[in-house]
PDB file of all heavy atoms in Angstrom:
ATOM      1  N   GLY F 291       4.217   8.347 -19.425  1.00 79.00           N
ATOM      2  CA  GLY F 291       4.900   8.228 -20.699  1.00 79.00           C
ATOM      3  C   GLY F 291       6.058   9.173 -20.922  1.00 79.00           C
ATOM      4  O   GLY F 291       6.723   9.099 -21.939  1.00 79.00           O
ATOM      5  N   LYS F 292       6.279  10.105 -19.946  1.00 86.00           N
ATOM      6  CA  LYS F 292       7.409  11.045 -20.089  1.00 86.00           C
ATOM      7  C   LYS F 292       8.416  10.816 -18.995  1.00 86.00           C
ATOM      8  O   LYS F 292       8.092  10.397 -17.889  1.00 86.00           O
ATOM      9  CB  LYS F 292       6.902  12.484 -20.037  1.00 86.00           C
ATOM     10  CG  LYS F 292       6.188  12.926 -21.287  1.00 86.00           C
ATOM     11  CD  LYS F 292       5.606  14.303 -21.121  1.00 86.00           C
ATOM     12  CE  LYS F 292       4.557  14.557 -22.144  1.00 86.00           C
ATOM     13  NZ  LYS F 292       3.688  15.736 -21.865  1.00 86.00           N
ATOM     14  N   GLU F 293       9.671  11.051 -19.311  1.00 89.00           N
ATOM     15  CA  GLU F 293      10.746  10.893 -18.306  1.00 89.00           C
ATOM     16  C   GLU F 293      10.752  12.117 -17.362  1.00 89.00           C
ATOM     17  O   GLU F 293      10.933  13.248 -17.849  1.00 89.00           O
ATOM     18  CB  GLU F 293      12.097  10.733 -18.979  1.00 89.00           C
ATOM     19  CG  GLU F 293      12.212   9.375 -19.699  1.00 89.00           C
ATOM     20  CD  GLU F 293      13.421   9.303 -20.642  1.00 89.00           C
ATOM     21  OE1 GLU F 293      14.046  10.354 -20.847  1.00 89.00           O
ATOM     22  OE2 GLU F 293      13.679   8.198 -21.144  1.00 89.00           O
ATOM     23  N   GLU F 294      10.636  11.861 -16.089  1.00 90.00           N
ATOM     24  CA  GLU F 294      10.610  12.944 -15.092  1.00 90.00           C
ATOM     25  C   GLU F 294      12.068  13.420 -14.911  1.00 90.00           C
ATOM     26  O   GLU F 294      12.956  12.625 -14.749  1.00 90.00           O
ATOM     27  CB  GLU F 294      10.041  12.443 -13.786  1.00 90.00           C
ATOM     28  CG  GLU F 294       9.631  13.513 -12.847  1.00 90.00           C
ATOM     29  CD  GLU F 294       8.957  12.922 -11.598  1.00 90.00           C
ATOM     30  OE1 GLU F 294       9.679  12.284 -10.810  1.00 90.00           O
ATOM     31  OE2 GLU F 294       7.754  13.076 -11.426  1.00 90.00           O
ATOM     32  N   LYS F 295      12.237  14.726 -14.935  1.00 90.00           N
ATOM     33  CA  LYS F 295      13.565  15.333 -14.839  1.00 90.00           C
ATOM     34  C   LYS F 295      14.292  14.891 -13.577  1.00 90.00           C
ATOM     35  O   LYS F 295      13.738  14.883 -12.492  1.00 90.00           O
ATOM     36  CB  LYS F 295      13.416  16.891 -14.828  1.00 90.00           C
ATOM     37  CG  LYS F 295      14.702  17.659 -15.127  1.00 90.00           C
ATOM     38  CD  LYS F 295      14.361  19.150 -15.341  1.00 90.00           C
ATOM     39  CE  LYS F 295      15.596  19.988 -15.117  1.00 90.00           C
ATOM     40  NZ  LYS F 295      15.917  20.165 -13.646  1.00 90.00           N
ATOM     41  N   MET F 296      15.574  14.511 -13.744  1.00 95.00           N
ATOM     42  CA  MET F 296      16.386  14.119 -12.555  1.00 95.00           C
ATOM     43  C   MET F 296      16.848  15.348 -11.810  1.00 95.00           C
ATOM     44  O   MET F 296      17.112  16.399 -12.412  1.00 95.00           O
ATOM     45  CB  MET F 296      17.579  13.269 -13.037  1.00 95.00           C
ATOM     46  CG  MET F 296      17.193  11.909 -13.633  1.00 95.00           C
ATOM     47  SD  MET F 296      16.375  10.816 -12.457  1.00 95.00           S
ATOM     48  CE  MET F 296      17.816  10.134 -11.611  1.00 95.00           C
ATOM     49  N   LEU F 297      17.006  15.196 -10.513  1.00 94.00           N
ATOM     50  CA  LEU F 297      17.357  16.358  -9.648  1.00 94.00           C
ATOM     51  C   LEU F 297      18.893  16.429  -9.439  1.00 94.00           C
ATOM     52  O   LEU F 297      19.391  17.423  -8.965  1.00 94.00           O
ATOM     53  CB  LEU F 297      16.668  16.208  -8.310  1.00 94.00           C
ATOM     54  CG  LEU F 297      15.154  16.041  -8.358  1.00 94.00           C
ATOM     55  CD1 LEU F 297      14.579  15.705  -6.997  1.00 94.00           C
ATOM     56  CD2 LEU F 297      14.496  17.332  -8.903  1.00 94.00           C
ATOM     57  N   ILE F 298      19.590  15.362  -9.801  1.00 96.00           N
ATOM     58  CA  ILE F 298      21.067  15.393  -9.590  1.00 96.00           C
ATOM     59  C   ILE F 298      21.735  15.151 -10.932  1.00 96.00           C
ATOM     60  O   ILE F 298      21.136  14.725 -11.895  1.00 96.00           O
ATOM     61  CB  ILE F 298      21.491  14.315  -8.572  1.00 96.00           C
ATOM     62  CG1 ILE F 298      20.882  12.933  -8.968  1.00 96.00           C
ATOM     63  CG2 ILE F 298      21.076  14.714  -7.172  1.00 96.00           C
ATOM     64  CD1 ILE F 298      21.424  11.807  -8.136  1.00 96.00           C
ATOM     65  N   LYS F 299      23.070  15.412 -10.949  1.00 97.00           N
ATOM     66  CA  LYS F 299      23.828  15.235 -12.189  1.00 97.00           C
ATOM     67  C   LYS F 299      25.179  14.572 -11.862  1.00 97.00           C
ATOM     68  O   LYS F 299      25.619  14.495 -10.689  1.00 97.00           O
ATOM     69  CB  LYS F 299      24.007  16.546 -12.859  1.00 97.00           C
ATOM     70  CG  LYS F 299      24.666  17.615 -12.033  1.00 97.00           C
ATOM     71  CD  LYS F 299      24.826  18.923 -12.770  1.00 97.00           C
ATOM     72  CE  LYS F 299      25.879  19.750 -12.059  1.00 97.00           C
ATOM     73  NZ  LYS F 299      25.525  19.997 -10.631  1.00 97.00           N
ATOM     74  N   LYS F 300      25.819  14.078 -12.979  1.00 97.00           N
ATOM     75  CA  LYS F 300      27.162  13.506 -12.811  1.00 97.00           C
ATOM     76  C   LYS F 300      28.078  14.413 -12.067  1.00 97.00           C
ATOM     77  O   LYS F 300      28.090  15.621 -12.315  1.00 97.00           O
ATOM     78  CB  LYS F 300      27.773  13.257 -14.208  1.00 97.00           C
ATOM     79  CG  LYS F 300      27.447  11.970 -14.883  1.00 97.00           C
ATOM     80  CD  LYS F 300      28.380  11.785 -16.067  1.00 97.00           C
ATOM     81  CE  LYS F 300      27.886  10.714 -17.019  1.00 97.00           C
ATOM     82  NZ  LYS F 300      28.858  10.450 -18.087  1.00 97.00           N
ATOM     83  N   GLY F 301      28.879  13.842 -11.118  1.00 97.00           N
ATOM     84  CA  GLY F 301      29.841  14.637 -10.435  1.00 97.00           C
ATOM     85  C   GLY F 301      29.325  15.192  -9.110  1.00 97.00           C
ATOM     86  O   GLY F 301      30.150  15.635  -8.268  1.00 97.00           O
ATOM     87  N   ASP F 302      28.017  15.206  -8.899  1.00 97.00           N
ATOM     88  CA  ASP F 302      27.482  15.679  -7.628  1.00 97.00           C
ATOM     89  C   ASP F 302      28.027  14.831  -6.464  1.00 97.00           C
ATOM     90  O   ASP F 302      28.163  13.593  -6.619  1.00 97.00           O
ATOM     91  CB  ASP F 302      25.939  15.603  -7.576  1.00 97.00           C
ATOM     92  CG  ASP F 302      25.289  16.787  -8.291  1.00 97.00           C
ATOM     93  OD1 ASP F 302      26.004  17.770  -8.620  1.00 97.00           O
ATOM     94  OD2 ASP F 302      24.072  16.732  -8.554  1.00 97.00           O
ATOM     95  N   LYS F 303      28.354  15.483  -5.326  1.00 96.00           N
ATOM     96  CA  LYS F 303      28.610  14.761  -4.087  1.00 96.00           C
ATOM     97  C   LYS F 303      27.291  14.696  -3.347  1.00 96.00           C
ATOM     98  O   LYS F 303      26.652  15.740  -3.156  1.00 96.00           O
ATOM     99  CB  LYS F 303      29.645  15.542  -3.238  1.00 96.00           C
ATOM    100  CG  LYS F 303      30.992  15.772  -3.926  1.00 96.00           C
ATOM    101  CD  LYS F 303      31.910  14.584  -3.757  1.00 96.00           C
ATOM    102  CE  LYS F 303      33.172  14.727  -4.634  1.00 96.00           C
ATOM    103  NZ  LYS F 303      34.035  15.823  -4.222  1.00 96.00           N
ATOM    104  N   VAL F 304      26.891  13.465  -2.947  1.00 95.00           N
ATOM    105  CA  VAL F 304      25.543  13.327  -2.375  1.00 95.00           C
ATOM    106  C   VAL F 304      25.562  12.512  -1.058  1.00 95.00           C
ATOM    107  O   VAL F 304      26.481  11.735  -0.833  1.00 95.00           O
ATOM    108  CB  VAL F 304      24.591  12.612  -3.360  1.00 95.00           C
ATOM    109  CG1 VAL F 304      24.353  13.508  -4.578  1.00 95.00           C
ATOM    110  CG2 VAL F 304      25.156  11.265  -3.773  1.00 95.00           C
ATOM    111  N   VAL F 305      24.574  12.789  -0.238  1.00 94.00           N
ATOM    112  CA  VAL F 305      24.385  12.040   1.000  1.00 94.00           C
ATOM    113  C   VAL F 305      23.384  10.941   0.663  1.00 94.00           C
ATOM    114  O   VAL F 305      22.278  11.161   0.202  1.00 94.00           O
ATOM    115  CB  VAL F 305      23.821  12.925   2.122  1.00 94.00           C
ATOM    116  CG1 VAL F 305      23.657  12.095   3.405  1.00 94.00           C
ATOM    117  CG2 VAL F 305      24.713  14.137   2.354  1.00 94.00           C
ATOM    118  N   VAL F 306      23.821   9.633   0.938  1.00 91.00           N
ATOM    119  CA  VAL F 306      22.915   8.504   0.695  1.00 91.00           C
ATOM    120  C   VAL F 306      22.800   7.646   1.943  1.00 91.00           C
ATOM    121  O   VAL F 306      23.613   7.756   2.885  1.00 91.00           O
ATOM    122  CB  VAL F 306      23.439   7.636  -0.437  1.00 91.00           C
ATOM    123  CG1 VAL F 306      23.420   8.370  -1.764  1.00 91.00           C
ATOM    124  CG2 VAL F 306      24.804   7.059  -0.133  1.00 91.00           C
TER     125      VAL F 306
END
Side-chain angles (χ1 to χ4, degrees):
Chain F
K292 286 175 197 166
E293 290 168 351
E294 198 175 69
K295 197 169 158 284
M296 294 295 280
L297 306 171
I298 52 172
K299 57 180 198 303
K300 271 194 196 186
D302 279 349
K303 301 276 171 65
V304 294
V305 181
V306 295

